[in-house]
């Protein structure tokens, strides 16, 4: 596995004739339009928000550890819950996936940058602006209406402070950021693939980013419109959501969830894409059912646009409508299930390398399936009448978003860190982090199903001692701190390894895709020569060719540079 | 094989524990029930979906763990280069779809029993003076209709009848009577939920949601608002007190009298003030 210790002597079809040095100094970061540097900045910024959002969650768990606790007031709790949800969704999961996409889509398709490098920088700085505008509300009055900001609670009559306005700012700025980014991904993926990379040879991660982008373009206008209507309701006398003025609170819910449900698939599909790259590499097998995985991604995206009202089963709505949304939600779980079976079949009869990246990647289907099943149970609308807005839903959404997306993101981090930094993360710390996170996660969230079934609503800052909820909540709080420690172990791992980790070489895992063809970290122009792609696994082909030419397979990666010796 | 025998014994003990601890453990795995028939039917529907789900869950986790253990990389091992298997892939797609079709059938079979109010108990019908003019009756023409109004952070209940009858926080109802609720809100969105009496129904300004329950055992049934409605959301509780019909009659009479006395008191105060100001000007 120790790549790159061997010096590449020649091989005309894969050698690097020259490469561009990255400029140095902090100003060069602020002004960069290089997709890799923008990607790295995305990763640092979003991880920072992840940690801030996590600290808020731990404070909430402290409050709930005991019944009738007085650590936090109702206002403070609601602020924390709202800030936590918004931060995790709009400032962590959606943009961190854009970060990976930025760094790796051009490399994986053999391009030298994104289609519009300056727009790419704009996307990142809009995101930073949105995050700062939102967090500034900490200094006056944070929003308290949840990440969903349901009207009329979010209207000026019931939320007169500026918190909701900060939320609207965030929606617009991060929304613009995502839209600009999505258009950039779409243009890049459609136009800049390496010669020979037909749709059927495109890496599955690239497929997932393409679909993620189309879904963003389809869903974001609905929330942008809703947020603007809320803004004019609050400040300019309109009454879109106000019954007295002929408006309707349910209009908000429809607009919100028309965006909100596609958003949840926006948050999971790229994580699916990440592990669809990792599992075959670490089981030394081709991915099982490439076409089925790509096709199910596209199917899910279409269906994701017609399931939104399963978040509104308890509103006054005709039964036939409820039945439609139950059936559409059932339908979306079929392609989702297909993916899980394909991943397991990918491991089947492989030679599985037990690396940290694989641990996190395998945890995704293992945990996501629990959230998928609880999702189907929630889609049975009479059952949802009992479970809606309880801790059962909190458990569901964390199994899919933390167990699914976040474990997938961590898998991606352990898999790609060597490419981004040129160094390996520590396997010991990685596995420690994994087990702490895995155990902590299940302790925190499995028991919340029971809390919800026993009648505990979500978004409550306290519960009485005689409600029978004390044990559930204490277990959950203990778990959440284990989970927090587990995350911090990875943070320490990254900070240590980025300077002092073992040198990774260009292709430490014997990857399948083109990012492993270049140096680690890649030079500013990515590739000198771009190879012709002949299959879904171009790196396998290249390794084979080089082997045939009688060279060590490790020495494939192209550039001959001073960094490796 | 002693190890296997202990394992078997352990499994049997666990199974026995689950069976006998059934009632106690029930709320670990299933929704609240036992207050009203609709809650019981939701509970049964939930259990059916749970029983369908468990084998699927075990299958997925089992094959996942099995492959991790069995196919761990070994020196000299060869990974099979399989790229897919069309009939297998078609098989599991169709299998998943079939399970969901079954689940759809089961849901529709239960739907009516959950949404349609049951007939009210026979002997109470004459005793309880609840039929209001202009209100549609529950099936059987008996029972009671109460309007529920959510307000930050309190529930108000208006009973039918010519004389004003209402209460806050605690809803008193007669047992064995079908109670239908018309739920709305006068400020933000709330959600009416008494877990043992069935599913929740959102109280949305400008809309009326409907739900029902029928209680056979007298007692207190607690619940709370289930939709975030502001700083006091966690403390927006509700209680339904079910009492025998004759006791309900007594309560209604006292409550009406109290309300009337309060209203009369207010009216005479107002009159006195009007007389005063009228005299002064
Ligand atoms: C198997 C497919 C899925 C089905 C059938 C499903 C079904 C549902 C249903 C019916 C609800 C509404 C529950 C309620 O509020 O009463 C819900 C909530 C939710 N789901 Fe899923 N879900 C699925 C997958 C996912 C995925 C992949 C994600 C994200 C990665 C996700 C994230 C969420 C979130 C965040 C909520 C809560 C939203 C809120 O009220 O704040 N779900 N899901
Ligand atoms: Cu949804
Ligand atoms: Cu509430």
């Amino acid at each position: 596995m120790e790549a790159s210790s061997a010096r590449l002597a020649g091989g005309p079809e894969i050698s690097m004739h020259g490469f561009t040095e990255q400029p140095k100094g902090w100003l060069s970061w602020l002004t960069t339009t290089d997709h890799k540097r923008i990607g790295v900045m995305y990763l640092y910024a979003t991880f920072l928000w992840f940690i801030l959002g996590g600290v808020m969650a731990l404070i909430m768990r402290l409050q709930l550890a005991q019944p009738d606790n007085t650590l936090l007031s109702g206002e403070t709790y609601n602020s924390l819950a709202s800030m936590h949800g918004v931060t995790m969704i709009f400032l962590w999961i959606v943009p961190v996936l854009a970060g990976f996409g930025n760094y790796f889509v051009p490399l994986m398709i053999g391009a030298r940058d994104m289609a519009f490098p300056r727009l790419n920088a704009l996307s990142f700085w809009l995101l930073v602006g949105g995050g700062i505008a939102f967090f500034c509300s900490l200094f006056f009055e944070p929003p308290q209406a949840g990440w969903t900001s349901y009207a009329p609670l979010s209207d000026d009559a019931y939320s007169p402070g500026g918190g909701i306005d900060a939320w609207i700012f965030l929606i617009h700025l991060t929304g613009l950021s995502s839209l600009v980014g999505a258009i950039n991904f779409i243009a890049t993926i459609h136009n800049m693939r390496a010669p020979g990379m037909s749709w059927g040879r495109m890496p599955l991660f690239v497929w997932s980013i393409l679909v993620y982008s189309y879904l963003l373009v389809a869903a974001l206008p609905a929330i942008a419109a809703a947020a603007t209507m809320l803004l004019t309701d609050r400040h300019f006398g309109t009454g879109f959501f106000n019954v007295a003025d002929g408006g309707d609170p349910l209009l908000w819910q429809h607009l919100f969830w028309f965006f909100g449900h596609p958003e949840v698939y926006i948050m999971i599909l790229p994580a699916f894409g990440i592990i669809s790259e990792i599992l075959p590499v670490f089981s030394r097998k081709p991915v099982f059912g490439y076409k089925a995985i790509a096709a199910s991604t596209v199917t899910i995206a279409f269906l994701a646009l017609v399931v939104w009202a399963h978040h509104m089963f308890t509103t006054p709505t005709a039964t036939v409508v409820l039945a439609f949304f139950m059936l559409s939600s059932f339908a979306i779980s079929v392609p989702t299930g297909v993916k899980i079976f394909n991943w397991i079949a990918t491991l089947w009869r492989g030679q599985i390398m037990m690396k940290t990246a694989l641990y996190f990647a395998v945890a995704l289907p293992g945990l996501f399936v629990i959230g998928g099943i609880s999702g189907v149970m929630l889609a049975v609308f009479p059952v949802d009448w009992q479970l809606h807005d309880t801790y059962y839903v909190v458990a569901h959404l964390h199994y899919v978003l933390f167990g699914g997306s976040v474990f997938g993101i961590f898998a991606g981090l352990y898999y790609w860190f060597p490419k981004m930094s040129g160094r390996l993360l520590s396997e010991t710390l990685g596995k420690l982090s994994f087990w702490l996170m895995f155990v902590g996660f299940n302790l925190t969230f499995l028991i919340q199903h029971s809390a919800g079934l026993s009648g505990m609503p979500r978004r409550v800052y306290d519960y009485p001692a005689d409600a029978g909820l004390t044990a559930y909540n204490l277990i959950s709080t203990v778990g959440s701190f284990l989970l927090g420690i587990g995350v911090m172990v990875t943070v320490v791992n990254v900070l240590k390894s980025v300077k002092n980790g073992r040198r990774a070489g260009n292709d430490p895992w014997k990857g399948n895709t083109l990012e492993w063809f270049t140096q680690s970290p890649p030079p500013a122009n990515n590739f000198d020569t771009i190879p012709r792609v002949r299959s879904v696994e171009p790196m396998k082909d290249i390794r084979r060719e080089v082997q045939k030419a009688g060279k060590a397979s490790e020495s494939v990666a192209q550039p001959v540079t001073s960094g490796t010796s | 094989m002693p190890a296997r025998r202990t394992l078997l014994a352990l499994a049997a003990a666990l199974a026995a524990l689950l069976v006998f601890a059934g009632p106690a453990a029930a709320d670990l795995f299933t929704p609240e029930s036992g207050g009203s028939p609709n809650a019981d039917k939701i509970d049964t529907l939930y259990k059916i979906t749970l029983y369908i789900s468990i084998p699927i869950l075990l299958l997925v986790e089992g094959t996942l763990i099995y492959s991790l253990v069995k196919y761990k990389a070994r020196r000299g091992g060869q990974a099979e280069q399989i790229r897919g298997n069309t009939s297998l892939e078609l098989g599991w797609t169709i299998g998943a779809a079939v399970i969901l079709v079954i689940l759809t059938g089961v849901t529709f079979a239960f739907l009516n029993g959950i949404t349609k109010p049951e007939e009210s108990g026979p002997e109470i019908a004459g005793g309880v003076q609840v039929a209001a003019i202009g209100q549609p009756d529950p099936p059987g023409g008996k029972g009671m209709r109460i309007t529920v109004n959510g307000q930050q952070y309190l529930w108000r209940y208006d009973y039918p009848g010519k004389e004003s009858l209402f209460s806050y926080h605690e809803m008193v109802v007669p047992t064995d009577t079908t109670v239908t609720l018309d739920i709305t809100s006068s400020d933000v969105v709330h959600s009416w939920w008494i877990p043992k009496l069935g599913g929740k129904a959102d109280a949305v300004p400008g809309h009326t949601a409907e739900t029902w329950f029928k209680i056979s055992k007298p007692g207190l049934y607690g619940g709370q608002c289930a939709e975030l409605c502001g700083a006091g959301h966690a403390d927006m509780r509700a209680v339904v007190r079910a009492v025998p019909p004759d006791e309900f009659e007594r309560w209604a009479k006292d409550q009406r009298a109290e309300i009337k006395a309060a209203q009369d008191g207010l009216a005479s105060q107002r009159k006195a003030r009007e007389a005063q100001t009228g005299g002064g000007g």
Side-chain angles (χ1 to χ4, degrees), chain A residues 365-410:
Chain A
L367 297 174
F368 181 86
V369 67
I370 298 176
I373 287 177
S374 64
V376 171
M377 299 178 79
L378 288 167
V380 178
F381 62 91
V383 168
D384 185 72
W385 291 338
Q386 276 291 9
L387 302 178
H388 174 65
D389 265 342
T390 66
Y391 261 84
Y392 192 95
V393 173
V394 177
H396 161 73
L397 75 92
H398 284 90
Y399 267 89
V400 286
L401 280 177
F402 204 122
S405 308
V406 177
F407 275 81
I409 291 163
F410 272 63

Side-chain angles (χ1 to χ4, degrees), chain B residues 153-272:
Chain B
Y153 303 99
L154 198 64
W155 293 101
R156 177 187 163 121
Y157 318 113
D158 278 284
Y159 292 75
K162 275 209 202 75
E163 274 172 88
S164 166
L165 175 58
F166 61 85
S167 67
Y168 289 95
H169 179 64
E170 187 183 79
M171 177 194 284
V172 181
V173 297
T175 49
D176 281 325
T177 307
T178 299
V179 178
T180 319
L181 304 179
D182 286 327
I183 299 162
T184 189
S185 158
S186 46
D187 43 40
V188 302
V189 182
H190 304 274
S191 188
W192 168 260
W193 188 36
I194 309 287
K196 283 189 161 51
L197 302 183
K200 39 187 93 56
D202 289 358
V204 184
H207 293 262
T208 305
E210 210 178 81
T211 186
W212 67 280
F213 58 78
K214 183 181 163 192
I215 304 175
S216 47
K217 279 190 297 249
L220 291 176
Y221 298 87
Q224 68 188 96
C225 174
E227 180 65 60
L228 179 64
C229 56
H233 164 59
D235 303 318
M236 183 167 164
R237 295 174 189 282
V239 179
V240 172
R241 179 152 66 93
V243 295
D246 48 340
E247 199 180 324
F248 174 79
E249 281 295 274
R250 249 177 291 144
W251 171 83
K253 218 174 116 202
D254 294 352
Q255 183 83 355
R256 278 203 183 96
E258 226 171 85
I259 292 168
K260 193 158 182 337
Q263 280 171 346
D264 288 351
L266 265 179
S268 59
Q269 255 180 8
R270 200 179 311 125
K271 227 177 249 159

Side-chain angles (χ1 to χ4, degrees), chain A residues 367-534:
Chain A
L367 297 174
F368 181 86
V369 67
I370 298 176
I373 287 177
S374 64
V376 171
M377 299 178 79
L378 288 167
V380 178
F381 62 91
V383 168
D384 185 72
W385 291 338
Q386 276 291 9
L387 302 178
H388 174 65
D389 265 342
T390 66
Y391 261 84
Y392 192 95
V393 173
V394 177
H396 161 73
L397 75 92
H398 284 90
Y399 267 89
V400 286
L401 280 177
F402 204 122
S405 308
V406 177
F407 275 81
I409 291 163
F410 272 63
L413 179 71
Y414 277 88
Y415 178 57
W416 279 321
F417 185 84
K419 180 50 62 183
M420 295 187 283
S421 67
R423 302 191 180 255
L424 291 167
L425 284 166
S426 148
E427 281 291 315
T428 322
L429 285 180
K431 283 178 182 160
L432 177 68
S433 172
F434 171 81
W435 284 116
L436 284 168
M437 282 175 70
F438 186 81
V439 172
F441 170 81
N442 283 296
L443 265 184
T444 310
F445 295 109
L446 193 62
I447 198 74
Q448 291 187 354
H449 292 102
S450 297
L453 287 166
S454 307
M456 183 167 175
R458 66 193 284 204
R459 294 168 167 167
V460 292
Y461 75 99
D462 71 350
Y463 53 93
D466 61 5
L469 299 169
T470 313
Y472 299 156
N473 279 290
L474 188 58
I475 292 173
S476 188
T477 299
V478 171
S480 68
F481 277 83
L482 270 187
L483 181 54
I485 295 170
V487 170
M488 288 323 289
V489 173
T490 285
V491 171
V492 169
N493 198 355
V494 166
L495 294 179
K496 271 181 63 171
S497 307
V498 80
K499 282 255 145 51
N500 303 318
R502 271 181 37 228
R503 288 200 181 278
N506 297 340
D507 186 13
W509 317 122
K510 294 211 174 72
N512 292 333
T513 38
L514 286 180
E515 75 270 32
W516 306 107
F517 182 58
T518 184
Q519 207 187 349
S520 309
N525 58 342
N526 292 353
F527 305 98
D528 178 36
T529 34
I530 291 163
R532 196 172 176 84
V533 174
R534 299 197 169 77

Side-chain angles (χ1 to χ4, degrees), chain A residues 7-8 40 45 87-88 99 110 114 160 186 222 238 284 292 320 325 362 392 398 437 459 492:
Chain A
R7 208 185 155 99
L8 182 63
V40 167
T87 304
M88 290 305 191
M114 297 279 281
I186 293 172
T238 58
R284 318 244 49 98
V320 53
F325 282 99
V362 167
Y392 192 95
H398 284 90
M437 282 175 70
R459 294 168 167 167
V492 169

Side-chain angles (χ1 to χ4, degrees), chain A residues 170-440:
Chain A
L170 167 129
I171 292 295
H172 280 319
L173 288 172
T174 59
L176 265 179
S177 156
S178 290
L179 266 183
V180 170
I183 291 167
N184 210 346
F185 280 128
I186 293 172
T188 307
I189 296 171
H190 275 276
N191 298 312
M192 297 172 65
R193 283 169 303 168
M197 185 179 279
S198 56
W199 291 111
R201 292 179 189 162
M202 200 163 80
L204 286 167
F205 176 69
V206 179
W207 266 108
S208 72
I209 289 288
L210 182 66
V211 172
Y212 156 98
S213 305
Y214 275 112
L215 267 180
L216 279 169
V217 172
L220 280 169
I223 184 94
T228 307
M229 289 153 86
L230 183 62
L231 185 78
T232 61
D233 268 17
R234 287 173 62 81
H235 299 294
F236 306 112
T238 58
F240 292 109
F241 308 117
N242 189 341
V243 176
D245 299 333
D248 192 337
L250 290 185
L251 174 63
W252 173 267
Q253 298 190 18
H254 280 292
L255 286 173
F256 184 87
W257 289 116
F258 185 81
F259 148 82
H261 188 90
E263 175 85 344
V264 307
Y265 278 95
I266 286 165
M267 292 189 279
I268 195 70
L269 289 177
F272 286 175
I274 291 174
I275 74 154
S276 301
E277 296 298 334
I278 294 178
L279 293 177
V281 168
F282 287 84
S283 39
R284 318 244 49 98
K285 269 182 65 190
V287 71
F288 187 93
Y290 170 88
K291 279 198 187 129
I293 295 185
S296 63
T297 305
V298 177
T299 316
I300 287 174
F302 276 108
L303 290 172
L305 294 169
V306 295
V307 299
W308 77 90
H310 68 205
H311 297 272
M312 300 170 58
F313 281 152
T314 58
T315 58
T317 301
T319 309
V320 53
V321 178
L322 303 182
F324 171 83
F325 282 99
M326 172 179 79
L327 292 176
S328 62
S329 309
F330 281 180
I332 205 169
S333 67
V334 175
T336 312
V338 163
K339 280 182 188 291
I340 293 180
F341 294 136
N342 277 305
W343 292 323
I344 296 177
T346 301
L347 295 171
W348 192 262
R349 300 223 185 146
Q351 286 289 317
I352 304 172
M353 293 156 53
M354 294 291 175
K355 298 287 179 189
T356 310
L358 180 96
Y359 279 38
F360 279 104
V362 167
L364 189 156
L367 297 174
F368 181 86
V369 67
I370 298 176
I373 287 177
S374 64
V376 171
M377 299 178 79
L378 288 167
V380 178
F381 62 91
V383 168
D384 185 72
W385 291 338
Q386 276 291 9
L387 302 178
H388 174 65
D389 265 342
T390 66
Y391 261 84
Y392 192 95
V393 173
V394 177
H396 161 73
L397 75 92
H398 284 90
Y399 267 89
V400 286
L401 280 177
F402 204 122
S405 308
V406 177
F407 275 81
I409 291 163
F410 272 63
L413 179 71
Y414 277 88
Y415 178 57
W416 279 321
F417 185 84
K419 180 50 62 183
M420 295 187 283
S421 67
R423 302 191 180 255
L424 291 167
L425 284 166
S426 148
E427 281 291 315
T428 322
L429 285 180
K431 283 178 182 160
L432 177 68
S433 172
F434 171 81
W435 284 116
L436 284 168
M437 282 175 70
F438 186 81
V439 172

